[in-house]
Amino acid sequence: MVCRKQGWGVAEMAVHSSAIEQVASHDRSRAMDAFKLGDRVFYWITRISAILVLVLLGGIIISLIVGSWPAIMEFGSSFLTTQRWAPSAEPPVLGALSPLYGTILTSIIAMTIAIPVGIGIAVFLTELCPLWARAPIGMAIELLAGIPSIIYGMWGFFILGPFLADTVQPFFIGLFDGVPILGAIFGGPPSYLSLFNASLILAIMVLPFITAISRDVFATVPPVLKEAAYGVGCTTWEVVRHVVLPYTRVGVIGGAMLALGRALGETMAVTFIIGNSFRISPSIFAPGTTISAAIASEFAESDGLHQSSLMLLGLLLFVLTFFVLAAARLMLLRLEKKAGK
Amino acid sequence: MNPIYASRRRKDIIVRALCFVAAAFGVSWLGLILFTLFYNGLAGMSWQLFTQNTPPPGASEGGLLNAIVGSLIMTVIGVGVGAPIGMFAGTYLAEYGKHDRLSPVIRFINDILLSAPSIIIGLFIYGAVVVPMGGFSALAGSLALAVIVIPVVVRTTEDMLNLVPNSLREAASALGLPRSLVIRRIAYRAARTGLITGVLLATARVAGETAPLLFTALSNQFFSLDLANPVANLPVTINNFVQSPYVYWKQLAWSAALLITLAVLALNIGARLIGSERTAK
């Protein structure tokens, strides 16, 4: 506070030269010293805060490794290939195969739904939508991104799950009944809690991310390019397909990978409706689990090797998302550089 | 009509229709979710929610007072700790770090932390705070939220400071203002609305965070203001009540969900309004 007050005084001194003449010269040098000190303190506060970001990442990695060390020692690489998850067996048998499978499968299904729809919405917003409706629709999509994930989970649990189990799932099960492979994938009894339900909720959750980034990169396409294409008689679809998408390919892929990173680590939306079953089933209508769902539902009541294994799951998830997110950021960075030039 | 032209037109119409359907699909989810939230949440809205604590299992009376207060406390502490750190770090990246070779690394790592799974943050705080402190606590929950706030604020602060025209800084420097005062008096003031927007968005982000609180703040059936002990909060309360067999608990979960969503949407819309005021000027 003192420093701030002094700052005002000195700042005015610097502006009104008459003020300088009035103060004695040693006051001036004192003021200069205060400037220097304040400058240095502020510089170091900001610098240390910035370095704290790196420390955070380091802390996350170290605490995960430390926490999962007993499990790494105990299970080694067999952790990745064991499907059984029996924390109360003697000795406990714990394997990551099932949550890994669930995490990757739900993310893939979610992205298969969300990428085309998300890009479709972005195309609609940038090319087709009347101007007056752009802002409200864009805002609605962005608000969708703001809704906390537990709300999605709860909504999926109470509303979407029963709806899917009563209508959509029986339809697919009937449609592919008896067909080899597809019959197994879309087989089994319909269920309120399933990988498929979780995937759909995930798709809805990541949709806004894909739309927002696609819309932003679509806006970077020089109007001249689009106008030229329209000028030679292209239809809207042809402009999008042959001008907008090729020009923004890197950005769109980057956005999709960012969304993938989100989907991989999404916790609350998935935990309620995936069923938390550690058995790998060929059917996507069967219950399963993901890494984050396993941690969320078991960690608070775990101890010893069980807890350590959950930490190890967390470490795996972190490594997985780190690479996906890093790749996404590198792509988007490349695009920014291109736009900057 | 030329058959090639006709097929091109047909394809175009189909794709336009699909895009329209996609947009309707996206917007209708928001509508559906909000509708069911209001429909189920409003049924349980009463003064009781704000005057009574969460009920024990099976009871048919009670509110969310302890959870609301706990959420407020943790959000305030989380943002209070995270926002200044994030602002200073963002300031460094935008103002001082232009020629620092560390800056691109920090920026990159920050962007990754920005979208890192929040449950991982929970694991980190569990290992770094809960274990050494010997138990779950409101403080641990607040710190987990702070870790989530930091990257958001770093990003917005840097972006907003970069928007401040350099001529303003140069003018201030030419008058003899030292660097730190140029930043605090000129750059911060010029970017003020943007900085506030960033903090509001960060608050909205953590207000509904559940995963990192599950094993840091845990929950508490009773009213508590003690930072060293578990504290009730809305997200974990929802988590516990949704999967319970008690009808009244489920009703409370809907009400809590409505409260959180309203708060988050209000913060988001507020942030946007402040942001757009700036561009309108």
Side-chain angles (χ1 to χ4, degrees), chain A residues 118-207:
Chain A
I119 294 178
I121 299 177
V123 170
F124 178 78
L125 283 177
T126 50
E127 301 292 328
L128 304 172
C129 185
L131 272 178
W132 57 265
R134 274 182 202 187
I137 294 179
M139 185 146 172
I141 300 286
E142 277 167 36
L143 287 183
L144 209 51
I147 295 180
S149 63
I150 191 164
I151 309 291
Y152 283 97
M154 186 175 171
W155 191 77
F157 182 76
F158 283 126
I159 313 282
L160 188 67
F163 170 76
L164 289 176
D166 293 342
T167 56
V168 178
Q169 292 184 8
F171 170 75
F172 278 110
I173 292 169
L175 188 65
F176 294 109
D177 189 28
V179 184
I181 303 176
L182 283 180
I185 295 177
F186 297 99
S191 160
Y192 284 16
L193 310 168
S194 78
L195 289 166
F196 175 73
N197 296 2
S199 309
L200 195 61
I201 280 282
L202 273 182
I204 300 169
M205 281 207 67
V206 298
L207 196 60

Side-chain angles (χ1 to χ4, degrees), chain B residues 7-137:
Chain B
S7 93
R8 282 175 55 201
R9 274 228 348 215
R10 214 176 309 121
K11 208 187 266 174
D12 186 52
I13 289 172
I14 292 173
V15 173
R16 276 169 186 244
L18 284 179
C19 286
F20 185 78
V21 171
F25 179 82
V27 174
S28 61
W29 286 120
L30 183 71
L32 265 177
I33 292 175
L34 287 183
F35 172 75
T36 42
L37 263 182
F38 273 99
Y39 183 78
N40 291 298
L42 281 180
M45 276 297 156
S46 67
W47 284 118
Q48 255 184 29
L49 284 186
F50 306 97
T51 55
Q52 293 188 19
N53 290 336
T54 47
S60 59
E61 228 177 50
L64 294 164
L65 176 68
N66 51 348
I68 293 171
V69 172
S71 268
L72 282 178
I73 292 175
M74 285 199 288
T75 308
V76 166
I77 297 181
V79 174
V81 172
I85 295 178
M87 271 172 84
F88 286 132
T91 307
Y92 181 80
L93 292 180
E95 301 282 343
Y96 290 118
K98 292 274 185 243
H99 304 289
D100 187 343
R101 263 178 303 168
L102 212 54
S103 297
V105 181
I106 294 174
R107 201 168 291 131
F108 187 72
I109 297 297
N110 187 68
D111 279 349
I112 287 182
L113 286 181
L114 191 63
S115 359
S118 55
I119 193 152
I120 301 287
I121 311 289
L123 287 178
F124 163 56
I125 294 295
Y126 181 85
V129 181
V130 175
V131 173
M133 270 182 59
F136 304 106
S137 66

Side-chain angles (χ1 to χ4, degrees), chain B residues 193-251:
Chain B
T193 49
L195 299 181
I196 295 173
T197 306
V199 173
L200 284 181
L201 286 178
T203 314
R205 171 96 191 268
V206 296
E209 272 295 350
T210 315
L213 297 181
L214 286 174
F215 33 84
T216 52
L218 212 64
S219 191
N220 189 340
Q221 201 194 315
F222 306 103
F223 188 87
S224 163
L225 293 173
D226 185 0
L227 285 186
N229 275 312
V231 69
N233 54 86
L234 285 172
V236 178
T237 301
I238 296 177
N239 180 57
N240 295 342
F241 282 11
V242 159
Q243 289 170 304
S244 77
Y246 309 110
V247 177
Y248 190 67
W249 272 17
K250 288 189 183 175
Q251 178 56 53

Side-chain angles (χ1 to χ4, degrees), chain A residues 335-341:
Chain A
L335 193 80
E336 262 170 40
K337 268 189 193 143
K338 196 172 112 188
K341 262 172 200 172

